[in-house]
Amino acid sequence: AKSSHWKKLLNSFLMPNLSKRKADIISTVEFNHTGELLATGDKGGRVVIFQREQESKNQVHRRGEYNVYSTFQSHEPEFDYLKSLEIEEKINKIRWLPQQNAAYFLLSTNDKTVKLWKVSERDKRPEGYNLKDEEGRLRDPATITTLRVPVLRPMDLMVEATPRRVFANAHTYHINSISVNSDYETYMSADDLRINLWNFEITNQSFNIVDIKPANMEELTEVITAAEFHPHHCNTFVYSSSKGTIRLCDMRASALCDRHTKFFEEPEDPSNRSFFSEIISSISDVKFSHSGRYIMTRDYLTVKVWDLNMENRPIETYQVHDYLRSKLCSLYENDCIFDKFECVWNGSDSVIMTGSYNNFFRMFDRNTKRDVTLEASRENSKPRAILKPRKVCVGGKRRKDEISVDSLDFSKKILHTAWTRLTRWTSYYLIISHTEY
């Protein structure tokens, strides 16, 4: 039994999900560094960028709203004829690059290919070409008797998205993470068994910096679930595994980081050992704090904060939905136990946010140790609507404002979260993965 459920866990990573997917379901979300733009990717391979509405005295009620800024098709479905494998167009991750000029740049990836996109505005068009007529066709040079000075004329604002780089043919398994380095010259892409380092200017070559694939795949005991660069030190990165461990690596030590610098793992409490222990300990997301001092990880039931100077246990553990421990059997049967939730810091690293079921999401204040459960549903999405705290009743008499754990809707889940750094508390934004645009 243990062997069968362990293989089921590995297959949830290694094997493609061939079930029918709605193209409009959001699969990733990411703010740019200023919080002005919000990029979302969906299962249809599209990227939709929203722009924050600017504040004005005449439209105070629209403050903080995001309107569609640009939409483009990032990836198309492909077919690998050598392996007889369909490659889905679903966008797995989006990462913004720091803005250097008027244009914006972002990375997007599906299971196999990473693309660098340039998003730019154009509100003027040139007129008065010498070698072209007004319709853009080339003129006969013999008919040109005078020279004109081209001029720029105002036009309606147009946002263009153009692919600048395509990084392909480097991953055998599904890409689960991309992370831009603090040197802004390199980035890494991680799949289930390998992590590659890329230079933004080189598309036909990458450097393999982590490889955990065994010679015999029958001996495989864990897979890579997430990876991220340190926010300030370009030589340092971390990656998490399906065994609930985190490895911190230093690229200065060796070209292939097969030996980690630090190893973070919490000893298991024997009293909590169960059939599902290995599955629920798998880490679905890992994030450095903005300060670079801490690492946050999310497993199925908890969020943990680790100090880089203490490897043997986390300094903080937050229970996200501990009331689901009694439901693990049914969650295993409907495959919800393999859901991969993300987690995110606020701008000052003082508050943590992560998702749950029934459209609930949880927020934990690290200073006051207070937590709150809020519901992100269509009914609560009206402008300036104040979200009311929700509580889940495990047993006994249920109060009017509580919801029974048996009434939770597991088809409504918040898997993807993002937090803008505009303000400390009020400017967070999250996307529900099972909601269409």
Side-chain angles (χ1 to χ4, degrees):
K2 178 180 178 181
S3 175
S4 64
H5 91 261
W6 170 239
K7 288 184 178 180
K8 190 173 182 180
L9 172 61
L10 289 179
N11 287 339
S12 72
F13 293 96
L14 297 174
M15 297 297 293
N17 188 347
L18 300 180
S19 60
K20 296 295 183 181
R21 292 183 171 94
K22 290 185 178 179
D24 288 338
I25 293 178
I26 294 170
S27 55
T28 186
V29 55
E30 185 78 7
F31 278 104
N32 73 336
H33 292 72
T34 64
E36 179 188 358
L37 299 179
L38 172 68
T40 64
D42 64 23
K43 293 186 176 181
R46 292 173 300 175
V47 172
V48 180
I49 302 177
F50 298 86
Q51 184 178 45
R52 185 167 60 94
E53 186 73 28
Q54 298 298 319
E55 298 182 23
S56 66
K57 295 181 179 179
N58 299 329
Q59 294 179 319
V60 179
H61 66 283
R62 299 191 66 180
R63 181 180 63 183
E65 288 190 17
Y66 282 79
N67 299 317
V68 174
Y69 177 69
S70 176
T71 302
F72 58 92
Q73 188 72 28
S74 176
H75 288 72
E76 300 282 356
E78 303 175 44
F79 189 81
D80 188 335
Y81 291 95
L82 293 178
K83 299 180 180 179
S84 297
L85 181 68
E86 292 184 11
I87 302 175
E88 296 179 346
E89 66 272 31
K90 185 191 77 162
I91 307 299
N92 292 341
K93 292 291 179 182
I94 292 175
R95 290 292 181 264
W96 292 91
L97 276 65
Q99 188 176 4
Q100 304 292 335
N101 48 43
Y104 302 96
F105 289 86
L106 60 86
L107 289 171
S108 64
T109 183
N110 65 348
D111 284 343
K112 303 294 182 182
T113 304
V114 183
K115 295 184 180 182
L116 175 66
W117 290 88
K118 176 183 179 182
V119 182
S120 55
E121 296 181 354
R122 192 171 70 175
D123 59 359
K124 293 181 177 61
R125 68 174 183 271
E127 291 184 358
Y129 285 109
N130 289 286
L131 300 178
K132 296 180 181 179
D133 59 20
E134 298 303 326
E135 296 180 0
R137 294 172 297 190
L138 290 176
R139 298 170 59 187
D140 183 358
T143 63
I144 302 175
T145 57
T146 60
L147 294 179
R148 297 183 295 176
V149 178
V151 295
L152 294 175
R153 301 292 186 191
M155 60 175 285
D156 293 337
L157 178 65
M158 183 170 61
V159 181
E160 297 177 318
T162 54
R164 301 305 300 271
R165 303 280 191 278
V166 177
F167 307 90
N169 304 320
H171 286 277
T172 305
Y173 301 95
H174 308 316
I175 298 174
N176 55 49
S177 302
I178 50 176
S179 179
V180 179
N181 202 346
S182 59
D183 60 11
Y184 305 134
E185 296 180 0
T186 57
Y187 78 92
M188 69 177 174
S189 56
D191 64 25
D192 302 316
L193 299 179
R194 296 186 178 98
I195 300 177
N196 294 331
L197 180 68
W198 300 83
N199 187 295
F200 280 109
E201 301 299 324
I202 303 173
T203 61
N204 61 354
Q205 185 181 26
S206 63
F207 298 92
N208 181 224
I209 55 177
V210 173
D211 188 348
I212 66 170
K213 182 180 179 181
N216 182 3
M217 285 294 284
E218 292 294 325
E219 300 174 359
L220 181 66
T221 59
E222 64 179 335
V223 295
I224 298 169
T225 56
E228 186 175 69
F229 269 118
H230 191 281
H232 309 304
H233 305 311
C234 61
N235 54 281
T236 306
F237 67 94
V238 296
Y239 68 93
S240 57
S241 81
S242 56
K243 276 194 168 183
T245 62
I246 311 105
R247 292 171 174 85
L248 184 141
C249 300
D250 190 336
M251 291 188 292
R252 296 173 300 183
S254 63
L256 182 63
C257 299
D258 51 354
R259 295 183 180 179
H260 49 266
T261 303
K262 293 189 176 183
F263 183 78
F264 301 86
E265 183 179 26
E266 183 179 23
E268 184 181 12
D269 185 355
S271 62
N272 291 332
R273 180 73 183 175
S274 71
F275 176 80
F276 306 105
S277 295
E278 290 181 350
I279 301 178
I280 64 176
S281 65
S282 174
I283 294 175
S284 57
D285 195 17
V286 58
K287 294 281 177 58
F288 271 107
S289 63
H290 297 99
S291 67
R293 172 69 185 274
Y294 305 102
I295 303 172
M296 173 172 55
T297 60
R298 171 70 203 265
D299 56 43
Y300 190 69
L301 295 178
T302 66
V303 172
K304 297 174 182 177
V305 177
W306 303 77
D307 191 314
L308 288 184
N309 298 321
M310 190 167 68
E311 304 173 48
N312 60 337
R313 61 183 177 85
I315 59 172
E316 299 166 22
T317 300
Y318 301 97
Q319 300 294 333
V320 179
H321 37 216
D322 199 52
Y323 45 79
L324 293 182
R325 286 190 183 274
S326 61
K327 301 289 183 181
L328 293 180
C329 186
S330 58
L331 291 169
Y332 177 79
E333 292 175 353
N334 63 19
D335 284 343
C336 283
I337 200 171
F338 302 108
D339 286 334
K340 300 170 179 62
F341 293 93
E342 296 177 2
C343 53
V344 66
W345 303 88
N346 74 332
S348 61
D349 299 331
S350 61
V351 182
I352 290 169
M353 180 171 66
T354 190
S356 181
Y357 294 103
N358 207 73
N359 283 340
F360 289 166
F361 63 98
R362 301 271 283 145
M363 300 176 67
F364 304 94
D365 191 310
R366 299 180 60 209
N367 297 325
T368 64
K369 304 304 178 184
R370 295 179 180 176
D371 63 87
V372 63
T373 300
L374 300 173
E375 182 180 359
S377 62
R378 293 185 182 274
E379 293 74 19
N380 298 332
S381 62
K382 298 178 182 178
R384 293 188 295 175
I386 299 176
L387 300 182
K388 297 181 180 179
R390 301 299 304 271
K391 290 186 179 181
V392 177
C393 175
V394 178
K397 191 174 182 180
R398 181 171 63 89
R399 296 182 180 179
K400 183 179 180 181
D401 57 343
E402 292 180 339
I403 181 171
S404 171
V405 66
D406 297 320
S407 302
L408 296 177
D409 188 343
F410 294 104
S411 66
K412 298 178 179 178
K413 58 193 85 174
I414 297 180
L415 301 178
H416 313 293
T417 54
W419 199 315
T420 170
R421 299 178 65 178
L422 293 176
T423 64
R424 181 175 181 270
W425 264 103
T426 57
S427 294
Y428 63 83
Y429 192 98
L430 59 93
I431 295 295
I432 306 170
S433 66
H434 281 246
T435 297
E436 299 181 10
Y437 289 117

